[in-house]
Amino acid sequence: MKAIEIRNKYLEFFKKHGHAVIPSASLIPENDPSVLFTTAGMQPLVPYLLGEKHPEGTRLTDYQKCVRTNDIDEVGDNRHLTYFEMLGNWSLGDYFKEESIKMSFEFLTKELQIPVEKLSVTCFAGDEDCPRDEVSAKVWKEAGILDGHIYFYGKDDNWWIAGEEGPCGPDTEMFYDTGKPACGPDCQPSCDCGKYVEIWNNVFMEYYKDKNGYSKLKQRNVDTGLGLERMTMLLQGKETPFDTELFLPVMEKIQELQKVDNIESRRIIAEHLRSSMMIIADGGRPSNIDRGYILRRLIRRMIRHMNKLQIDLSELSNLIDINVDNLKEMYPELEQNRETIKNVINEEKDKFVKTLTHGEREFQKEMQKAKENGKNEIDANVVFRLYDTYGFPPEVTKELADENDMTVDLKGFEELFKEHQEKSRQGSTQKFKGGLADQNEKTIAYHTATHLLHQALRTVLGDHVKQSGSNITEERLR
Ligand code: SER
């Protein structure tokens, strides 16, 4: 089954069960400065999980575009992705554990036809904050999950919260047995040997956590998330998401263009390209801070790996076209932004290429110096200088070091980087004092006017116009 068929089946199934299908929110969260990108389907729904009425009712379903970049340097192995799509369904104070689990079981076994022997589930083991989830275990058993396929784990595995504070609760997770041999007698779903792959997470959000601890929410919610790329890969019996139709056309083109063979580099190029394209289509642009900096790192790392495979960088536009053509049915915004995506990525490429060779030379020099001093580590100051002067994202320097059996002081770099960002942020807060921090009738009206102005500009000038920030005070909007 293709990814788009899985998505459609999912939305249809939950529609049949009374859910309103809502559109994916943008990857770039509106009015939520606490996160750089949308990282889960529940994120744009937080106000409704806390009790605000959703205009579409108490049962919702969608596909949500997500970017998670905490594992950016892991991409290249067989499973990490920075961009992924999460299918989700929500109960906002409507159904709870029993109905949620029954629907999940039916979807997996009837709609996707996964044999029940391949499924295992995990439930919350209980602690001082929340009792053991016997209810979920019982419902799973009655639904048909086999004896010995139900596990209980603590907060580390079976509790879900986005970050440190917010709505949260115990969850029940579904695992798919790939059929690989067990890694030992203790091999279980919690083991990451690759035998069991997590496919779906149903969170029973009835708590709120803040610095004072846990309290009960006004309503009992369900928040679920199913990773589309992973499900596609499993149903197709593929080893990695890169072997599915989501990536194959671009992976094959890279292979055709490369003069040096390296599977990890091919995956990094394909993954970072898709991720960058999705971010740009939602209005992201490369810069040196926050989400712009993440986008910059994705593009630059991709370019370095194209160089590593000796692929002519003029092929970038071709690769973008292949991805747009392959993915436009799933994401029409790629087609709408085809030219913008090319312009943004090519412009970033031009900037990076100017400094890349000099930077690599600088790295070689520093490496020699370190070796002469009997050191096997690249100093944080050097990593920072390569970043600051030559635009080298730290993971690029780390990769160069890896290739030369050296390490880098990434922790030291992070500290220097934070200091640097703090300084530029202080500068920009002074410049842009105001924002929406002090809300009143006037600033709220200006905020609305910003949206109207944005739309007017798009209508007159075209869809390439993108708002990527606003600055509002009582006197004016900008
Ligand atoms: N919010 C949960 C997750 O991200 C379920 O969607 O796993």
Side-chain angles (χ1 to χ4, degrees):
M1 209 181 301
K2 283 186 171 181
I4 193 162
E5 294 170 76
I6 300 174
R7 181 209 273 176
N8 290 340
K9 250 186 204 298
Y10 187 96
L11 299 178
E12 266 312 305
F13 177 82
F14 283 98
K15 196 170 157 192
K16 198 176 79 194
H17 286 276
H19 293 65
V21 182
I22 58 170
S24 171
S26 169
L27 276 172
I28 297 176
E30 208 193 333
N31 288 332
D32 186 350
S34 67
V35 284
L36 295 181
F37 293 105
T38 303
T39 58
M42 53 74 76
Q43 219 168 284
L45 297 172
V46 169
Y48 310 104
L49 293 164
L50 300 182
E52 201 176 299
K53 290 254 166 307
H54 193 284
E56 301 280 353
T58 55
R59 292 176 176 227
L60 307 175
T61 184
D62 74 11
Y63 76 83
Q64 177 61 52
K65 302 182 274 185
C66 299
V67 164
R68 290 186 187 176
T69 51
N70 23 2
D71 305 318
I72 192 167
D73 53 352
E74 308 263 2
V75 172
D77 68 4
N78 58 9
R79 61 197 173 101
H80 281 92
L81 299 175
T82 58
Y83 171 85
F84 66 99
E85 179 173 320
M86 189 185 277
L87 300 173
N89 60 282
W90 290 272
S91 154
L92 304 170
D94 191 311
Y95 58 83
F96 205 46
K97 294 181 181 176
E98 182 167 356
E99 200 173 339
S100 160
I101 288 174
K102 281 183 174 162
M103 285 190 288
S104 291
F105 186 81
E106 186 186 337
F107 183 72
L108 293 175
T109 56
K110 300 261 162 48
E111 299 288 328
L112 300 185
Q113 307 226 328
I114 297 178
V116 71
E117 313 79 70
K118 285 198 154 291
L119 293 175
S120 291
V121 299
T122 65
C123 304
F124 183 56
D127 63 11
E128 65 281 6
D129 300 314
C130 171
R132 186 177 173 88
D133 191 2
E134 296 289 359
V135 176
S136 294
K138 183 163 171 275
V139 180
W140 280 122
K141 194 169 157 49
E142 282 167 9
I145 291 291
L146 303 179
D147 279 346
H149 285 220
I150 301 177
Y151 297 80
F152 283 91
Y153 299 124
K155 272 215 179 76
D156 281 351
D157 292 294
N158 280 91
W159 189 273
W160 202 88
I161 181 166
E164 295 295 314
E165 177 169 346
C168 58
D171 63 29
T172 182
E173 298 184 2
M174 288 143 264
F175 287 80
Y176 182 94
D177 182 350
T178 55
K180 290 182 186 153
C183 63
D186 293 332
C187 189
Q188 294 188 8
S190 61
C191 171
D192 56 14
C193 70
K195 177 173 176 62
Y196 296 99
V197 182
E198 185 201 328
I199 49 176
W200 203 351
N201 182 13
N202 294 11
V203 187
F204 303 119
M205 281 190 167
E206 55 172 330
Y207 295 91
Y208 190 87
K209 185 182 177 222
D210 60 19
K211 53 185 183 315
N212 301 318
Y214 295 93
S215 55
K216 281 264 170 112
L217 286 172
K218 273 197 269 189
Q219 63 192 35
R220 300 197 302 181
N221 308 293
V222 179
D223 154 45
T224 92
L226 180 159
L228 180 65
E229 288 77 3
R230 218 181 252 185
M231 185 60 95
T232 307
M233 154 191 116
L234 291 170
L235 292 182
Q236 295 179 3
K238 298 283 166 61
E239 276 286 309
T240 81
F242 301 101
D243 303 309
T244 70
E245 81 283 0
L246 294 169
F247 288 102
L248 268 183
V250 84
M251 287 290 281
E252 280 166 4
K253 186 68 186 177
I254 298 168
Q255 192 155 19
E256 184 192 310
L257 295 171
Q258 70 185 22
K259 298 194 184 67
V260 176
D261 185 38
N262 185 316
I263 177 81
E264 288 195 357
S265 292
R266 274 206 298 286
R267 288 174 184 160
I268 290 170
I269 298 166
E271 202 288 331
H272 286 7
L273 181 64
R274 184 177 76 143
S275 210
S276 306
M277 289 170 65
M278 296 303 299
I279 295 171
I280 295 167
D282 274 355
R285 296 292 179 268
S287 75
N288 276 340
I289 51 165
D290 297 339
R291 69 178 65 95
Y293 177 53
I294 303 265
L295 176 59
R296 170 156 285 167
R297 284 158 72 187
L298 289 169
I299 299 175
R300 292 188 172 197
R301 187 160 182 244
M302 165 180 84
I303 287 168
R304 201 188 81 81
H305 282 273
M306 286 179 72
N307 276 345
K308 205 170 148 184
L309 301 190
Q310 294 176 21
I311 297 173
D312 200 320
L313 296 179
S314 64
E315 294 290 347
L316 260 174
S317 295
N318 258 337
L319 295 178
I320 294 170
D321 276 330
I322 289 171
N323 250 359
V324 174
D325 292 339
N326 186 37
L327 299 172
K328 65 185 176 193
E329 197 186 349
M330 293 185 80
Y331 306 112
E333 60 270 42
L334 290 179
E335 176 72 291
Q336 287 150 16
N337 289 282
R338 192 191 282 261
E339 292 312 312
T340 308
I341 293 169
K342 282 188 199 168
N343 291 340
V344 173
I345 293 183
N346 279 314
E347 217 172 275
E348 183 63 18
K349 172 203 75 181
D350 291 341
K351 274 195 195 134
F352 189 40
V353 165
K354 278 201 199 117
T355 58
L356 184 59
T357 322
H358 289 298
E360 285 187 330
R361 221 175 286 147
E362 189 64 21
F363 174 84
Q364 295 297 340
K365 253 203 296 199
E366 289 295 342
M367 189 175 69
Q368 281 312 326
K369 247 199 256 168
K371 282 192 171 153
E372 278 160 23
N373 291 331
K375 284 198 334 194
N376 204 31
E377 179 164 270
I378 306 287
D379 214 61
N381 283 314
V382 175
V383 187
F384 188 78
R385 190 154 48 79
L386 283 168
Y387 156 75
D388 202 32
T389 314
Y390 301 100
F392 273 37
E395 52 278 348
V396 166
T397 306
K398 180 175 176 290
E399 280 171 2
L400 284 168
D402 281 349
E403 287 164 14
N404 291 282
D405 293 322
M406 304 268 300
T407 56
V408 286
D409 180 5
L410 279 183
K411 244 180 116 198
F413 168 81
E414 284 306 323
E415 277 160 29
L416 291 174
F417 182 70
K418 254 194 219 130
E419 266 171 43
H420 176 77
Q421 286 222 316
E422 205 40 57
K423 272 190 212 138
S424 38
R425 204 165 282 135
Q426 274 163 9
S428 68
T429 346
Q430 262 162 17
K431 237 187 290 158
F432 293 120
K433 227 172 178 175
L436 263 184
D438 43 7
Q439 277 201 19
N440 59 39
E441 234 174 85
K442 228 172 185 175
T443 52
I444 291 170
Y446 278 140
H447 177 79
T448 307
T450 311
H451 285 294
L452 296 173
L453 176 62
H454 181 215
Q455 186 53 46
L457 287 168
R458 284 167 68 90
T459 307
V460 175
L461 298 172
D463 282 345
H464 59 286
V465 175
K466 281 270 154 62
Q467 175 185 345
S468 63
S470 64
N471 172 233
I472 294 163
T473 70
E474 275 207 58
E475 281 86 45
R476 51 130 181 82
L477 68 86
R478 183 182 292 158

PDB file of all heavy atoms in Angstrom, residues 39-42 68 86 160 198 201 203 205 223-225, ligand 1:
ATOM      1  N   THR A  39       5.887  19.783  15.867  1.00  0.00           N
ATOM      2  CA  THR A  39       6.571  18.499  16.054  1.00  0.00           C
ATOM      3  C   THR A  39       5.608  17.350  16.298  1.00  0.00           C
ATOM      4  O   THR A  39       6.025  16.211  16.387  1.00  0.00           O
ATOM      5  CB  THR A  39       7.531  18.554  17.256  1.00  0.00           C
ATOM      6  OG1 THR A  39       6.752  18.917  18.404  1.00  0.00           O
ATOM      7  CG2 THR A  39       8.632  19.555  17.074  1.00  0.00           C
ATOM      8  N   ALA A  40       4.321  17.639  16.451  1.00  0.00           N
ATOM      9  CA  ALA A  40       3.330  16.582  16.669  1.00  0.00           C
ATOM     10  C   ALA A  40       1.956  17.109  16.292  1.00  0.00           C
ATOM     11  O   ALA A  40       1.713  18.325  16.310  1.00  0.00           O
ATOM     12  CB  ALA A  40       3.333  16.146  18.139  1.00  0.00           C
ATOM     13  N   GLY A  41       1.066  16.168  15.975  1.00  0.00           N
ATOM     14  CA  GLY A  41      -0.276  16.564  15.564  1.00  0.00           C
ATOM     15  C   GLY A  41      -1.021  17.319  16.641  1.00  0.00           C
ATOM     16  O   GLY A  41      -1.876  18.164  16.352  1.00  0.00           O
ATOM     17  N   MET A  42      -0.695  17.041  17.912  1.00  0.00           N
ATOM     18  CA  MET A  42      -1.449  17.680  18.990  1.00  0.00           C
ATOM     19  C   MET A  42      -1.079  19.147  19.189  1.00  0.00           C
ATOM     20  O   MET A  42      -1.820  19.899  19.799  1.00  0.00           O
ATOM     21  CB  MET A  42      -1.275  16.925  20.314  1.00  0.00           C
ATOM     22  CG  MET A  42       0.123  16.661  20.799  1.00  0.00           C
ATOM     23  SD  MET A  42       1.031  18.089  21.468  1.00  0.00           S
ATOM     24  CE  MET A  42       0.241  18.243  23.058  1.00  0.00           C
ATOM     25  N   ARG A  68      11.170  17.334  13.307  1.00  0.00           N
ATOM     26  CA  ARG A  68      11.892  17.174  14.574  1.00  0.00           C
ATOM     27  C   ARG A  68      13.371  17.133  14.249  1.00  0.00           C
ATOM     28  O   ARG A  68      13.799  16.311  13.449  1.00  0.00           O
ATOM     29  CB  ARG A  68      11.493  15.866  15.277  1.00  0.00           C
ATOM     30  CG  ARG A  68      10.083  15.890  15.817  1.00  0.00           C
ATOM     31  CD  ARG A  68       9.746  14.646  16.630  1.00  0.00           C
ATOM     32  NE  ARG A  68       8.331  14.653  16.980  1.00  0.00           N
ATOM     33  CZ  ARG A  68       7.712  13.673  17.622  1.00  0.00           C
ATOM     34  NH1 ARG A  68       8.384  12.592  17.989  1.00  0.00           N
ATOM     35  NH2 ARG A  68       6.422  13.750  17.901  1.00  0.00           N
ATOM     36  N   MET A  86       2.532  12.814  10.461  1.00  0.00           N
ATOM     37  CA  MET A  86       1.867  12.102  11.550  1.00  0.00           C
ATOM     38  C   MET A  86       0.361  12.078  11.309  1.00  0.00           C
ATOM     39  O   MET A  86      -0.272  13.127  11.163  1.00  0.00           O
ATOM     40  CB  MET A  86       2.160  12.813  12.877  1.00  0.00           C
ATOM     41  CG  MET A  86       1.691  12.034  14.089  1.00  0.00           C
ATOM     42  SD  MET A  86       1.913  12.975  15.632  1.00  0.00           S
ATOM     43  CE  MET A  86       3.610  12.635  16.001  1.00  0.00           C
ATOM     44  N   TRP A 160       3.344  10.494  27.882  1.00  0.00           N
ATOM     45  CA  TRP A 160       3.687  11.431  26.809  1.00  0.00           C
ATOM     46  C   TRP A 160       3.391  12.859  27.183  1.00  0.00           C
ATOM     47  O   TRP A 160       2.317  13.186  27.661  1.00  0.00           O
ATOM     48  CB  TRP A 160       2.965  11.080  25.506  1.00  0.00           C
ATOM     49  CG  TRP A 160       3.701  11.667  24.340  1.00  0.00           C
ATOM     50  CD1 TRP A 160       4.730  11.086  23.646  1.00  0.00           C
ATOM     51  CD2 TRP A 160       3.511  12.956  23.757  1.00  0.00           C
ATOM     52  NE1 TRP A 160       5.187  11.939  22.669  1.00  0.00           N
ATOM     53  CE2 TRP A 160       4.456  13.099  22.707  1.00  0.00           C
ATOM     54  CE3 TRP A 160       2.652  14.017  24.013  1.00  0.00           C
ATOM     55  CZ2 TRP A 160       4.557  14.237  21.921  1.00  0.00           C
ATOM     56  CZ3 TRP A 160       2.756  15.170  23.232  1.00  0.00           C
ATOM     57  CH2 TRP A 160       3.691  15.262  22.200  1.00  0.00           C
ATOM     58  N   GLU A 198       7.765   0.738  16.840  1.00  0.00           N
ATOM     59  CA  GLU A 198       6.563   1.423  17.324  1.00  0.00           C
ATOM     60  C   GLU A 198       5.802   2.003  16.137  1.00  0.00           C
ATOM     61  O   GLU A 198       6.381   2.643  15.274  1.00  0.00           O
ATOM     62  CB  GLU A 198       6.957   2.554  18.272  1.00  0.00           C
ATOM     63  CG  GLU A 198       5.749   3.226  18.900  1.00  0.00           C
ATOM     64  CD  GLU A 198       6.027   4.618  19.436  1.00  0.00           C
ATOM     65  OE1 GLU A 198       7.153   4.890  19.885  1.00  0.00           O
ATOM     66  OE2 GLU A 198       5.099   5.443  19.387  1.00  0.00           O
ATOM     67  N   ASN A 201       0.769   5.643  18.758  1.00  0.00           N
ATOM     68  CA  ASN A 201       0.795   6.015  20.162  1.00  0.00           C
ATOM     69  C   ASN A 201      -0.523   6.695  20.525  1.00  0.00           C
ATOM     70  O   ASN A 201      -0.853   7.723  19.943  1.00  0.00           O
ATOM     71  CB  ASN A 201       1.983   6.973  20.384  1.00  0.00           C
ATOM     72  CG  ASN A 201       2.133   7.391  21.813  1.00  0.00           C
ATOM     73  OD1 ASN A 201       1.517   6.817  22.716  1.00  0.00           O
ATOM     74  ND2 ASN A 201       2.967   8.399  22.047  1.00  0.00           N
ATOM     75  N   VAL A 203      -2.362   8.612  23.399  1.00  0.00           N
ATOM     76  CA  VAL A 203      -2.109   9.259  24.685  1.00  0.00           C
ATOM     77  C   VAL A 203      -3.450   9.611  25.332  1.00  0.00           C
ATOM     78  O   VAL A 203      -4.314  10.210  24.685  1.00  0.00           O
ATOM     79  CB  VAL A 203      -1.285  10.555  24.512  1.00  0.00           C
ATOM     80  CG1 VAL A 203      -0.882  11.117  25.869  1.00  0.00           C
ATOM     81  CG2 VAL A 203      -0.065  10.315  23.647  1.00  0.00           C
ATOM     82  N   MET A 205      -4.831  11.905  27.514  1.00  0.00           N
ATOM     83  CA  MET A 205      -4.437  13.182  28.109  1.00  0.00           C
ATOM     84  C   MET A 205      -5.476  13.679  29.075  1.00  0.00           C
ATOM     85  O   MET A 205      -6.431  14.346  28.676  1.00  0.00           O
ATOM     86  CB  MET A 205      -4.265  14.219  27.000  1.00  0.00           C
ATOM     87  CG  MET A 205      -2.968  14.084  26.292  1.00  0.00           C
ATOM     88  SD  MET A 205      -2.673  15.464  25.220  1.00  0.00           S
ATOM     89  CE  MET A 205      -0.939  15.156  24.879  1.00  0.00           C
ATOM     90  N   ASP A 223      -5.212  11.679  22.350  1.00  0.00           N
ATOM     91  CA  ASP A 223      -4.342  12.262  21.320  1.00  0.00           C
ATOM     92  C   ASP A 223      -3.545  11.119  20.727  1.00  0.00           C
ATOM     93  O   ASP A 223      -2.788  10.464  21.445  1.00  0.00           O
ATOM     94  CB  ASP A 223      -3.396  13.281  21.984  1.00  0.00           C
ATOM     95  CG  ASP A 223      -2.102  13.459  21.213  1.00  0.00           C
ATOM     96  OD1 ASP A 223      -2.154  13.578  19.981  1.00  0.00           O
ATOM     97  OD2 ASP A 223      -1.026  13.480  21.867  1.00  0.00           O
ATOM     98  N   THR A 224      -3.731  10.818  19.453  1.00  0.00           N
ATOM     99  CA  THR A 224      -2.950   9.711  18.902  1.00  0.00           C
ATOM    100  C   THR A 224      -2.056  10.175  17.765  1.00  0.00           C
ATOM    101  O   THR A 224      -2.324  11.200  17.126  1.00  0.00           O
ATOM    102  CB  THR A 224      -3.836   8.544  18.383  1.00  0.00           C
ATOM    103  OG1 THR A 224      -4.117   8.733  17.000  1.00  0.00           O
ATOM    104  CG2 THR A 224      -5.108   8.394  19.189  1.00  0.00           C
ATOM    105  N   GLY A 225      -1.019   9.418  17.505  1.00  0.00           N
ATOM    106  CA  GLY A 225      -0.103   9.752  16.423  1.00  0.00           C
ATOM    107  C   GLY A 225       0.474   8.501  15.792  1.00  0.00           C
ATOM    108  O   GLY A 225       0.958   7.615  16.496  1.00  0.00           O
TER     109      GLY A 225
HETATM  110  N1  SER B   1       1.501  13.278  20.751  1.00  0.00           N
HETATM  111  C1  SER B   1       1.841  11.894  20.679  1.00  0.00           C
HETATM  112  C2  SER B   1       3.132  11.677  19.941  1.00  0.00           C
HETATM  113  O1  SER B   1       3.676  12.584  19.369  1.00  0.00           O
HETATM  114  C3  SER B   1       0.742  11.133  20.006  1.00  0.00           C
HETATM  115  O2  SER B   1       0.368  11.784  18.851  1.00  0.00           O
HETATM  116  O3  SER B   1       3.617  10.569  19.935  1.00  0.00           O
END
